[in-house]
Amino acid sequence: MRVRSVGIDLSLQSSHRAEALDESGQQCGHLSFRTTPQGLEALAQLCTQSGDRLTVVMEPTGLAWLPIALFLRASFPQAVLVRAKEQKVVGLRRFLGGSAKSDRLDAITLAKLPLLDPEHLVPLVLPCPQIESLDRLTRRRDRLAASIGSRKTRIAALLLGWFPGLWDCFEDPWNPRARWVYRRKLNPFQLEKLAPGQLQQPMHRAAPGSSEALVAREALALRSWARQCAQVYRPAWQAGLLTQGLLSTWQQEVVLELDLLEQEEAQDQQLREEIQELYQRVHPHGELNTIPGIGPRVGPLLLAAIGDVHRFPSAKALRQWAGVMPRSHQSSHTQRLGLGMTKEGPPRVKRALYQAAHYARIWDPEMGAIYYRQMVELGKTHKQAMGVVMSHLL
């Protein structure tokens, strides 16, 4: 009997389990292997018995699927590779094995999917190396942006808690002048004794292109804040509840967070340059950027996540993959149509589409007005405009 499908239960640390089924759904082979040359050779021998029709189903477990998928694609170009959805696998496993669970049962469950539900299996498409590189870079930058946001939230919480009112002294609390103050002049008892010039000169050196009038206003605001903050803390200072050592400890913690923040910001800038250089190579004509709201940040992310758009047979399939689908609510003689988000799809794609719709409404009034009118007619907010943006991708 020829092998019709192979289910592979992956493991990050122990051996993988492969189960092979024939055309009638009967087991015709099994294998326990690791991602080693010998293990992959044994897997190839199992798959060689399939002839021209072979479907290999894997459930995504970290990145353990990638070396095996690359090996199978290179060794068996005609084989259909599938990454099964976890919810579907769990439901089928409960049907087949009840409460039992084992690597063997998981592998058999995966192998049965092509026989039981072939029309809903989405083939795994391995992107070209450049798109894969772009995907890894955009993922890294996405994580870095989240870390930078968390770091800024942490610094803001420290400053707003320990030094109330300091945040309001600056036009932009993250500008170089503000950061210089956070690093060096957080002691209000020392700051209130400084003359305006003693503040203005180093603040101007911290941001050479700054307006002298702006620097002067911020310096005056800082001295006023220092007097008020010192007055707030003076009773605690006199009672020995607040000391120079404690103030220094506070400032050291802020400086440490600032150092980490600026390291991440430097990495983010480097990533931005690498992403743009690679994006221009793989997408030289820039068709994505012609969609209102899609720019140098959202464009590379969407291209990397979607890959080859032709792998989707229709716009509906693309929207379904992204988790942005039309929905309707009918009751009696009334019917409301709208756009909704499902649990499917990469979260970063949904965030990118939201940003695209939001920026289009802000920076492109004409197209933004179209988006907004469509959303108003549907009774939705502009957050749902991501569905409208997604419809432009095909």
Side-chain angles (χ1 to χ4, degrees):
M1 297 292 290
R2 287 189 177 277
V3 172
R4 172 67 176 83
S5 64
V6 175
I8 303 178
D9 181 59
L10 299 170
S11 175
L12 290 173
Q13 295 183 338
S14 59
S15 298
H16 314 303
R17 176 76 180 197
E19 292 286 343
L21 303 182
D22 60 22
E23 296 283 353
S24 62
Q26 300 300 312
Q27 292 176 248
C28 59
H30 61 85
L31 175 67
S32 181
F33 70 101
R34 290 181 177 270
T35 310
T36 62
Q38 297 78 10
L40 294 177
E41 180 61 30
L43 177 63
Q45 292 178 5
L46 180 65
C47 294
T48 302
Q49 306 171 33
S50 63
D52 296 332
R53 300 179 59 192
L54 173 66
T55 301
V56 180
V57 184
M58 297 176 285
E59 187 177 1
T61 302
L63 290 174
W65 63 273
L66 183 58
I68 298 176
L70 291 173
F71 171 79
L72 290 173
R73 174 59 67 229
S75 304
F76 303 93
Q78 304 303 322
V80 178
L81 306 182
V82 175
R83 276 198 297 170
K85 295 181 180 179
E86 182 179 359
Q87 299 90 335
K88 185 170 293 188
V89 176
V90 170
L92 181 57
R93 184 178 64 224
R94 287 175 180 170
F95 173 76
L96 295 175
S99 59
K101 186 183 186 307
S102 66
D103 294 344
R104 175 178 172 275
L105 179 58
D106 287 345
I108 292 175
T109 302
L110 293 169
K112 284 185 178 292
L113 277 175
L115 305 176
L116 299 177
D117 192 23
E119 63 274 12
H120 291 111
L121 291 182
V122 180
L124 169 65
V125 178
L126 293 173
C128 70
Q130 287 185 318
I131 292 293
E132 177 65 18
S133 296
L134 186 63
D135 185 48
R136 301 315 306 176
L137 290 174
T138 53
R139 286 174 183 268
R140 193 187 312 167
R141 190 183 177 198
D142 201 42
R143 292 192 299 269
L144 196 57
S147 178
I148 289 173
S150 299
R151 190 80 60 192
K152 285 187 173 182
T153 300
R154 169 67 177 162
I155 295 172
L158 296 177
L159 294 175
L160 292 171
W162 289 336
F163 306 103
L166 176 61
W167 203 255
D168 301 325
C169 295
F170 303 99
E171 185 180 53
D172 174 10
W174 298 109
N175 67 37
R177 300 180 302 278
R179 297 188 186 203
W180 177 83
V181 172
Y182 303 155
R183 288 181 176 279
R184 300 176 181 273
K185 301 297 179 183
L186 283 184
N187 189 326
F189 299 102
Q190 296 177 353
L191 188 58
E192 66 174 343
K193 300 175 183 178
L194 297 180
Q198 293 178 290
L199 277 176
Q200 292 179 27
Q201 292 179 3
M203 287 174 66
H204 201 280
R205 286 196 297 268
S210 304
S211 163
E212 293 186 3
L214 177 60
V215 174
R217 285 198 305 271
E218 290 181 346
L220 289 175
L222 275 171
R223 293 186 73 246
S224 176
W225 164 80
R227 287 192 295 268
Q228 293 180 7
C229 189
Q231 188 175 357
V232 168
Y233 278 130
R234 189 160 282 114
W237 181 272
Q238 293 172 350
L241 300 175
L242 181 66
T243 63
Q244 177 66 40
L246 181 56
L247 285 172
S248 298
T249 300
W250 288 357
Q251 181 158 5
Q252 289 170 4
E253 186 166 351
V254 173
V255 170
L256 174 61
E257 294 291 339
L258 271 176
D259 287 342
L260 295 173
L261 172 65
E262 291 177 356
Q263 289 176 15
E264 290 177 335
E265 289 176 335
Q267 293 173 12
D268 181 70
Q269 178 60 35
Q270 181 180 355
L271 272 176
R272 185 182 309 175
E273 295 171 359
E274 292 180 18
I275 288 171
Q276 283 307 307
E277 180 182 353
L278 184 55
Y279 180 55
Q280 290 174 4
R281 289 207 306 268
V282 300
H283 194 56
H285 302 295
E287 292 89 348
L288 270 176
N289 292 4
T290 63
I291 301 174
I294 294 183
R297 185 182 185 94
V298 175
L301 191 151
L302 287 178
L303 179 64
I306 294 172
D308 182 7
V309 74
H310 298 292
R311 66 190 176 100
F312 299 98
S314 64
K316 179 181 178 181
L318 175 57
R319 289 195 298 270
Q320 186 176 16
W321 168 83
V324 181
M325 290 294 293
R327 65 183 177 189
S328 64
H329 177 79
Q330 184 175 4
S331 176
S332 186
H333 300 293
T334 64
Q335 182 177 9
R336 295 197 305 271
L337 301 177
L339 291 168
M341 287 189 298
T342 69
K343 294 182 180 180
E344 302 295 332
R348 61 197 185 104
V349 171
K350 295 179 182 178
R351 289 195 300 269
L353 292 173
Y354 166 72
Q355 291 174 1
H358 185 61
Y359 292 145
R361 191 170 68 89
I362 293 175
W363 300 111
D364 191 327
E366 181 179 353
M367 184 56 68
I370 295 174
Y371 286 168
Y372 190 69
R373 282 198 303 273
Q374 289 175 331
M375 294 304 104
V376 171
E377 291 171 1
L378 296 174
K380 305 298 175 183
T381 67
H382 69 274
K383 294 181 181 180
Q384 302 297 342
M386 64 177 67
V388 181
V389 177
M390 179 58 83
S391 68
H392 287 278
L393 294 178
L394 279 177

